[in-house]
Amino acid sequence: MARRKIIIDTDPGQDDAFALLFALGAPEELEVLGVTTVGGNVPLARTTTNALQLTELAGRADVPVFAGCPRPMLKRLQTAEYVHGESGIDGCVLPQPSRPAAGEHAVNWMIRTIMEAPEGEITVCTLGPMTNLGMAMVMEPKIIPRLREVVLMGGGYFQGGNATPAAEFTIRVDPHAAREAFESRALVTMASIDCTWTAMMTPEWVQSLRALKSASAEALIGMAEFYMSYGSHKFETADRPIHDACVPGYLLVPEAFSYRQCNVVLETRSPETEGMTVVDWWHSTGRPKNCKVLGKVDAPRFFDRMYRAFATLP
Ligand code: RIB
Ligand code: CA
């Protein structure tokens, strides 16, 4: 079967790191054309260095990394060091990258790559604020019908948000960019926090990675321990959602995810609910269903597939 060609747009982030290594650990199914970075969990310079270090950790310095937008379309950047630490991937020590980011801007590269590929070939996976993709859609709308799918981690439906009562972090950071994607008519698939909270990573599963005895596993364990230490004041469990990993999880084991086609509208104007993904679960508006909203994850299948991907890494 032909490998699925993907672009990973990311703001690492420990859960982004899990997603990236998950995708890179499945090379027989996913061809990662490039990694594009965005300001999000930490500023752009950090997310770019992190992406370079993580691709090297995976033994994939051949995958180019392109730095993208340092801030959202219309807002100031809001970062999340309080969750991810100063570096964004606290908990592990990785060598400095041996190569720089590619010279081309991520948005230009994204547009060029999608325009040069056959129609319907490329899937864009966004794991952070959707600024790069939103900008690409504004700069060259002809990319939209050429996309195979946009698969994003972000938003919420029953749970509301994690950054505010109404909004999930990545969408809250750049709701205007997210709106571009949701209004684009591209095939959009959303792994919201309602989905990711059904793929809970347990401390026991994290420790099971020790058996892999690899540098990647050691780094993943360290990152997980740091990431899972956040939230003990409010979550009633030691388990944590490994949000972004649901994106490659969906690409690799789609049958492990329930879903519902819905209309989703982005709230961009209200200060209380800015960044909310307004999901018409019951189709009460009659508006066109523009989003595949992922639901419950079959967690054992998901974690088993992720473990097998990590087992292939150095
Ligand atoms: O809300 C979770 C999302 O916000 C994840 O992408 C995490 O990395 C942060 O960016
Ligand atoms: Ca992220």
Side-chain angles (χ1 to χ4, degrees), residues 18-29 205 209 212 216 220 248 252 302-314:
F18 270 69
L20 199 51
L21 268 56
F22 190 179
L24 292 173
E28 61 295 329
E29 288 158 84
W205 185 84
L209 294 172
L212 299 178
S216 298
L220 286 161
L252 290 164
F302 168 76
F303 282 102
D304 174 64
R305 185 67 191 87
M306 187 153 64
Y307 192 96
R308 287 190 284 116
F310 291 162
T312 70
L313 298 175

mmCIF file of all heavy atoms in Angstrom, residues 18-29 205 209 212 216 220 248 252 302-314:
data_model
loop_
_atom_site.group_PDB
_atom_site.id
_atom_site.type_symbol
_atom_site.label_atom_id
_atom_site.label_comp_id
_atom_site.label_asym_id
_atom_site.label_seq_id
_atom_site.Cartn_x
_atom_site.Cartn_y
_atom_site.Cartn_z
ATOM 1 N N PHE A 18 5.789 13.129 21.355
ATOM 2 C CA PHE A 18 5.228 11.782 21.239
ATOM 3 C C PHE A 18 4.614 11.584 19.842
ATOM 4 O O PHE A 18 4.786 10.547 19.216
ATOM 5 C CB PHE A 18 4.171 11.542 22.324
ATOM 6 C CG PHE A 18 4.749 10.960 23.586
ATOM 7 C CD1 PHE A 18 5.589 11.713 24.394
ATOM 8 C CD2 PHE A 18 4.484 9.656 23.957
ATOM 9 C CE1 PHE A 18 6.149 11.185 25.560
ATOM 10 C CE2 PHE A 18 5.037 9.103 25.109
ATOM 11 C CZ PHE A 18 5.867 9.873 25.909
ATOM 12 N N ALA A 19 3.892 12.613 19.375
ATOM 13 C CA ALA A 19 3.246 12.511 18.061
ATOM 14 C C ALA A 19 4.281 12.380 16.951
ATOM 15 O O ALA A 19 4.154 11.536 16.048
ATOM 16 C CB ALA A 19 2.364 13.730 17.824
ATOM 17 N N LEU A 20 5.304 13.208 17.033
ATOM 18 C CA LEU A 20 6.342 13.212 15.998
ATOM 19 C C LEU A 20 7.055 11.866 15.948
ATOM 20 O O LEU A 20 7.241 11.267 14.875
ATOM 21 C CB LEU A 20 7.318 14.342 16.334
ATOM 22 C CG LEU A 20 8.230 14.896 15.270
ATOM 23 C CD1 LEU A 20 7.460 15.262 14.025
ATOM 24 C CD2 LEU A 20 8.934 16.143 15.836
ATOM 25 N N LEU A 21 7.446 11.369 17.109
ATOM 26 C CA LEU A 21 8.163 10.095 17.145
ATOM 27 C C LEU A 21 7.243 8.922 16.771
ATOM 28 O O LEU A 21 7.689 7.946 16.174
ATOM 29 C CB LEU A 21 8.815 9.887 18.520
ATOM 30 C CG LEU A 21 10.257 10.400 18.614
ATOM 31 C CD1 LEU A 21 10.421 11.852 18.252
ATOM 32 C CD2 LEU A 21 10.853 10.145 19.999
ATOM 33 N N PHE A 22 5.978 9.057 17.090
ATOM 34 C CA PHE A 22 4.986 8.044 16.686
ATOM 35 C C PHE A 22 4.938 7.980 15.152
ATOM 36 O O PHE A 22 5.038 6.904 14.552
ATOM 37 C CB PHE A 22 3.636 8.457 17.276
ATOM 38 C CG PHE A 22 2.523 7.455 17.200
ATOM 39 C CD1 PHE A 22 1.271 7.770 17.751
ATOM 40 C CD2 PHE A 22 2.678 6.214 16.608
ATOM 41 C CE1 PHE A 22 0.211 6.868 17.704
ATOM 42 C CE2 PHE A 22 1.623 5.299 16.554
ATOM 43 C CZ PHE A 22 0.392 5.643 17.096
ATOM 44 N N ALA A 23 4.828 9.141 14.521
ATOM 45 C CA ALA A 23 4.743 9.165 13.051
ATOM 46 C C ALA A 23 6.052 8.685 12.425
ATOM 47 O O ALA A 23 6.044 7.897 11.466
ATOM 48 C CB ALA A 23 4.407 10.574 12.573
ATOM 49 N N LEU A 24 7.177 9.129 12.971
ATOM 50 C CA LEU A 24 8.473 8.734 12.397
ATOM 51 C C LEU A 24 8.767 7.259 12.648
ATOM 52 O O LEU A 24 9.577 6.660 11.937
ATOM 53 C CB LEU A 24 9.595 9.608 12.976
ATOM 54 C CG LEU A 24 9.555 11.084 12.561
ATOM 55 C CD1 LEU A 24 10.595 11.900 13.329
ATOM 56 C CD2 LEU A 24 9.773 11.249 11.053
ATOM 57 N N GLY A 25 8.104 6.691 13.620
ATOM 58 C CA GLY A 25 8.289 5.271 13.909
ATOM 59 C C GLY A 25 7.367 4.374 13.096
ATOM 60 O O GLY A 25 7.310 3.167 13.345
ATOM 61 N N ALA A 26 6.678 4.944 12.133
ATOM 62 C CA ALA A 26 5.790 4.141 11.270
ATOM 63 C C ALA A 26 6.093 4.442 9.808
ATOM 64 O O ALA A 26 5.199 4.794 9.029
ATOM 65 C CB ALA A 26 4.327 4.445 11.594
ATOM 66 N N PRO A 27 7.364 4.294 9.392
ATOM 67 C CA PRO A 27 7.759 4.749 8.051
ATOM 68 C C PRO A 27 7.169 3.906 6.916
ATOM 69 O O PRO A 27 7.113 4.364 5.782
ATOM 70 C CB PRO A 27 9.290 4.633 8.070
ATOM 71 C CG PRO A 27 9.590 3.611 9.102
ATOM 72 C CD PRO A 27 8.502 3.723 10.140
ATOM 73 N N GLU A 28 6.692 2.720 7.249
ATOM 74 C CA GLU A 28 6.090 1.896 6.186
ATOM 75 C C GLU A 28 4.678 2.383 5.858
ATOM 76 O O GLU A 28 4.131 2.036 4.807
ATOM 77 C CB GLU A 28 6.116 0.403 6.548
ATOM 78 C CG GLU A 28 5.365 -0.035 7.794
ATOM 79 C CD GLU A 28 5.905 0.516 9.126
ATOM 80 O OE1 GLU A 28 7.117 0.760 9.276
ATOM 81 O OE2 GLU A 28 5.073 0.705 10.033
ATOM 82 N N GLU A 29 4.100 3.199 6.732
ATOM 83 C CA GLU A 29 2.740 3.698 6.492
ATOM 84 C C GLU A 29 2.667 5.209 6.286
ATOM 85 O O GLU A 29 1.793 5.686 5.571
ATOM 86 C CB GLU A 29 1.829 3.311 7.662
ATOM 87 C CG GLU A 29 1.505 1.838 7.691
ATOM 88 C CD GLU A 29 1.077 1.375 9.070
ATOM 89 O OE1 GLU A 29 -0.102 1.518 9.389
ATOM 90 O OE2 GLU A 29 1.934 0.869 9.827
ATOM 91 N N TRP A 205 2.212 2.528 31.691
ATOM 92 C CA TRP A 205 2.551 2.394 30.261
ATOM 93 C C TRP A 205 3.852 3.128 29.972
ATOM 94 O O TRP A 205 4.704 2.622 29.226
ATOM 95 C CB TRP A 205 1.420 2.937 29.375
ATOM 96 C CG TRP A 205 1.699 2.695 27.918
ATOM 97 C CD1 TRP A 205 1.442 1.551 27.214
ATOM 98 C CD2 TRP A 205 2.319 3.592 26.999
ATOM 99 N NE1 TRP A 205 1.873 1.685 25.911
ATOM 100 C CE2 TRP A 205 2.413 2.930 25.755
ATOM 101 C CE3 TRP A 205 2.805 4.892 27.094
ATOM 102 C CZ2 TRP A 205 2.969 3.522 24.617
ATOM 103 C CZ3 TRP A 205 3.371 5.486 25.965
ATOM 104 C CH2 TRP A 205 3.441 4.804 24.746
ATOM 105 N N LEU A 209 7.971 1.510 28.613
ATOM 106 C CA LEU A 209 8.876 1.889 27.512
ATOM 107 C C LEU A 209 10.334 1.574 27.860
ATOM 108 O O LEU A 209 11.182 1.480 26.977
ATOM 109 C CB LEU A 209 8.736 3.384 27.190
ATOM 110 C CG LEU A 209 7.390 3.842 26.616
ATOM 111 C CD1 LEU A 209 7.347 5.369 26.534
ATOM 112 C CD2 LEU A 209 7.144 3.237 25.237
ATOM 113 N N LEU A 212 12.376 -1.010 26.053
ATOM 114 C CA LEU A 212 12.904 -0.761 24.700
ATOM 115 C C LEU A 212 14.398 -0.442 24.717
ATOM 116 O O LEU A 212 15.072 -0.575 23.696
ATOM 117 C CB LEU A 212 12.128 0.380 24.017
ATOM 118 C CG LEU A 212 10.633 0.111 23.817
ATOM 119 C CD1 LEU A 212 9.960 1.330 23.182
ATOM 120 C CD2 LEU A 212 10.406 -1.124 22.949
ATOM 121 N N SER A 216 15.696 6.950 22.405
ATOM 122 C CA SER A 216 14.363 7.552 22.185
ATOM 123 C C SER A 216 13.439 7.238 23.356
ATOM 124 O O SER A 216 12.737 8.129 23.864
ATOM 125 C CB SER A 216 13.725 7.031 20.896
ATOM 126 O OG SER A 216 14.499 7.368 19.793
ATOM 127 N N LEU A 220 11.622 9.792 25.853
ATOM 128 C CA LEU A 220 10.157 9.801 25.959
ATOM 129 C C LEU A 220 9.711 9.631 27.409
ATOM 130 O O LEU A 220 8.786 10.305 27.871
ATOM 131 C CB LEU A 220 9.559 8.680 25.084
ATOM 132 C CG LEU A 220 9.596 8.953 23.573
ATOM 133 C CD1 LEU A 220 9.432 7.659 22.782
ATOM 134 C CD2 LEU A 220 8.521 9.961 23.166
ATOM 135 N N PRO A 248 -1.352 11.201 14.727
ATOM 136 C CA PRO A 248 -0.819 10.030 14.017
ATOM 137 C C PRO A 248 -1.569 8.753 14.381
ATOM 138 O O PRO A 248 -1.705 7.847 13.542
ATOM 139 C CB PRO A 248 0.649 9.950 14.459
ATOM 140 C CG PRO A 248 0.752 10.797 15.664
ATOM 141 C CD PRO A 248 -0.317 11.845 15.552
ATOM 142 N N LEU A 252 -2.948 6.092 11.657
ATOM 143 C CA LEU A 252 -2.431 4.719 11.624
ATOM 144 C C LEU A 252 -3.476 3.681 12.009
ATOM 145 O O LEU A 252 -3.447 2.560 11.494
ATOM 146 C CB LEU A 252 -1.209 4.612 12.553
ATOM 147 C CG LEU A 252 0.014 5.358 12.033
ATOM 148 C CD1 LEU A 252 1.053 5.558 13.130
ATOM 149 C CD2 LEU A 252 0.629 4.617 10.846
ATOM 150 N N PHE A 302 -4.661 1.931 20.536
ATOM 151 C CA PHE A 302 -3.879 3.137 20.286
ATOM 152 C C PHE A 302 -2.499 3.023 20.938
ATOM 153 O O PHE A 302 -1.461 3.240 20.300
ATOM 154 C CB PHE A 302 -4.672 4.335 20.830
ATOM 155 C CG PHE A 302 -3.909 5.619 20.915
ATOM 156 C CD1 PHE A 302 -3.635 6.362 19.776
ATOM 157 C CD2 PHE A 302 -3.474 6.100 22.141
ATOM 158 C CE1 PHE A 302 -2.928 7.560 19.863
ATOM 159 C CE2 PHE A 302 -2.779 7.292 22.235
ATOM 160 C CZ PHE A 302 -2.499 8.017 21.088
ATOM 161 N N PHE A 303 -2.469 2.655 22.217
ATOM 162 C CA PHE A 303 -1.175 2.601 22.918
ATOM 163 C C PHE A 303 -0.318 1.448 22.413
ATOM 164 O O PHE A 303 0.906 1.554 22.387
ATOM 165 C CB PHE A 303 -1.387 2.549 24.436
ATOM 166 C CG PHE A 303 -1.714 3.915 24.987
ATOM 167 C CD1 PHE A 303 -3.011 4.264 25.307
ATOM 168 C CD2 PHE A 303 -0.721 4.870 25.134
ATOM 169 C CE1 PHE A 303 -3.314 5.540 25.775
ATOM 170 C CE2 PHE A 303 -1.014 6.150 25.601
ATOM 171 C CZ PHE A 303 -2.307 6.480 25.923
ATOM 172 N N ASP A 304 -0.961 0.384 21.994
ATOM 173 C CA ASP A 304 -0.189 -0.731 21.430
ATOM 174 C C ASP A 304 0.499 -0.310 20.136
ATOM 175 O O ASP A 304 1.680 -0.587 19.918
ATOM 176 C CB ASP A 304 -1.136 -1.912 21.161
ATOM 177 C CG ASP A 304 -0.422 -3.034 20.434
ATOM 178 O OD1 ASP A 304 0.510 -3.610 21.037
ATOM 179 O OD2 ASP A 304 -0.757 -3.309 19.267
ATOM 180 N N ARG A 305 -0.241 0.435 19.291
ATOM 181 C CA ARG A 305 0.367 0.867 18.018
ATOM 182 C C ARG A 305 1.499 1.860 18.277
ATOM 183 O O ARG A 305 2.539 1.835 17.601
ATOM 184 C CB ARG A 305 -0.708 1.498 17.110
ATOM 185 C CG ARG A 305 -0.202 1.873 15.720
ATOM 186 C CD ARG A 305 0.167 0.637 14.926
ATOM 187 N NE ARG A 305 0.896 0.922 13.684
ATOM 188 C CZ ARG A 305 2.221 1.059 13.608
ATOM 189 N NH1 ARG A 305 2.978 0.957 14.703
ATOM 190 N NH2 ARG A 305 2.807 1.298 12.449
ATOM 191 N N MET A 306 1.298 2.737 19.252
ATOM 192 C CA MET A 306 2.346 3.727 19.557
ATOM 193 C C MET A 306 3.583 3.021 20.105
ATOM 194 O O MET A 306 4.717 3.359 19.741
ATOM 195 C CB MET A 306 1.808 4.767 20.548
ATOM 196 C CG MET A 306 2.777 5.915 20.780
ATOM 197 S SD MET A 306 1.987 7.458 21.259
ATOM 198 C CE MET A 306 1.256 7.048 22.819
ATOM 199 N N TYR A 307 3.377 2.040 20.943
ATOM 200 C CA TYR A 307 4.512 1.294 21.508
ATOM 201 C C TYR A 307 5.308 0.637 20.378
ATOM 202 O O TYR A 307 6.540 0.684 20.351
ATOM 203 C CB TYR A 307 3.995 0.226 22.477
ATOM 204 C CG TYR A 307 5.092 -0.397 23.323
ATOM 205 C CD1 TYR A 307 5.368 0.069 24.600
ATOM 206 C CD2 TYR A 307 5.854 -1.475 22.832
ATOM 207 C CE1 TYR A 307 6.363 -0.493 25.380
ATOM 208 C CE2 TYR A 307 6.860 -2.036 23.610
ATOM 209 C CZ TYR A 307 7.099 -1.539 24.878
ATOM 210 O OH TYR A 307 8.110 -2.103 25.636
ATOM 211 N N ARG A 308 4.597 0.038 19.441
ATOM 212 C CA ARG A 308 5.298 -0.650 18.335
ATOM 213 C C ARG A 308 6.057 0.346 17.470
ATOM 214 O O ARG A 308 7.138 0.038 16.951
ATOM 215 C CB ARG A 308 4.304 -1.476 17.511
ATOM 216 C CG ARG A 308 3.855 -2.728 18.284
ATOM 217 C CD ARG A 308 3.074 -3.689 17.439
ATOM 218 N NE ARG A 308 1.715 -3.262 17.203
ATOM 219 C CZ ARG A 308 1.198 -2.944 16.020
ATOM 220 N NH1 ARG A 308 1.941 -3.013 14.935
ATOM 221 N NH2 ARG A 308 -0.046 -2.534 15.904
ATOM 222 N N ALA A 309 5.532 1.547 17.314
ATOM 223 C CA ALA A 309 6.264 2.581 16.555
ATOM 224 C C ALA A 309 7.529 2.989 17.303
ATOM 225 O O ALA A 309 8.614 3.068 16.711
ATOM 226 C CB ALA A 309 5.361 3.799 16.333
ATOM 227 N N PHE A 310 7.407 3.208 18.593
ATOM 228 C CA PHE A 310 8.590 3.611 19.379
ATOM 229 C C PHE A 310 9.653 2.501 19.376
ATOM 230 O O PHE A 310 10.848 2.792 19.444
ATOM 231 C CB PHE A 310 8.178 3.947 20.820
ATOM 232 C CG PHE A 310 7.355 5.201 20.950
ATOM 233 C CD1 PHE A 310 6.598 5.431 22.097
ATOM 234 C CD2 PHE A 310 7.321 6.152 19.934
ATOM 235 C CE1 PHE A 310 5.834 6.584 22.232
ATOM 236 C CE2 PHE A 310 6.550 7.313 20.058
ATOM 237 C CZ PHE A 310 5.803 7.517 21.207
ATOM 238 N N ALA A 311 9.195 1.275 19.284
ATOM 239 C CA ALA A 311 10.141 0.145 19.307
ATOM 240 C C ALA A 311 11.054 0.124 18.077
ATOM 241 O O ALA A 311 12.093 -0.535 18.086
ATOM 242 C CB ALA A 311 9.377 -1.166 19.432
ATOM 243 N N THR A 312 10.664 0.837 17.028
ATOM 244 C CA THR A 312 11.495 0.857 15.811
ATOM 245 C C THR A 312 12.576 1.938 15.877
ATOM 246 O O THR A 312 13.449 1.983 15.019
ATOM 247 C CB THR A 312 10.643 1.145 14.551
ATOM 248 O OG1 THR A 312 10.214 2.517 14.595
ATOM 249 C CG2 THR A 312 9.459 0.211 14.435
ATOM 250 N N LEU A 313 12.505 2.805 16.875
ATOM 251 C CA LEU A 313 13.397 3.988 16.896
ATOM 252 C C LEU A 313 14.722 3.692 17.599
ATOM 253 O O LEU A 313 14.766 2.847 18.499
ATOM 254 C CB LEU A 313 12.675 5.151 17.585
ATOM 255 C CG LEU A 313 11.390 5.627 16.901
ATOM 256 C CD1 LEU A 313 10.710 6.709 17.742
ATOM 257 C CD2 LEU A 313 11.668 6.157 15.499
ATOM 258 N N PRO A 314 15.776 4.411 17.214
ATOM 259 C CA PRO A 314 17.067 4.173 17.855
ATOM 260 C C PRO A 314 17.093 4.615 19.314
ATOM 261 O O PRO A 314 16.358 5.484 19.701
ATOM 262 C CB PRO A 314 18.045 5.041 17.033
ATOM 263 C CG PRO A 314 17.207 6.035 16.320
ATOM 264 C CD PRO A 314 15.843 5.419 16.161
#
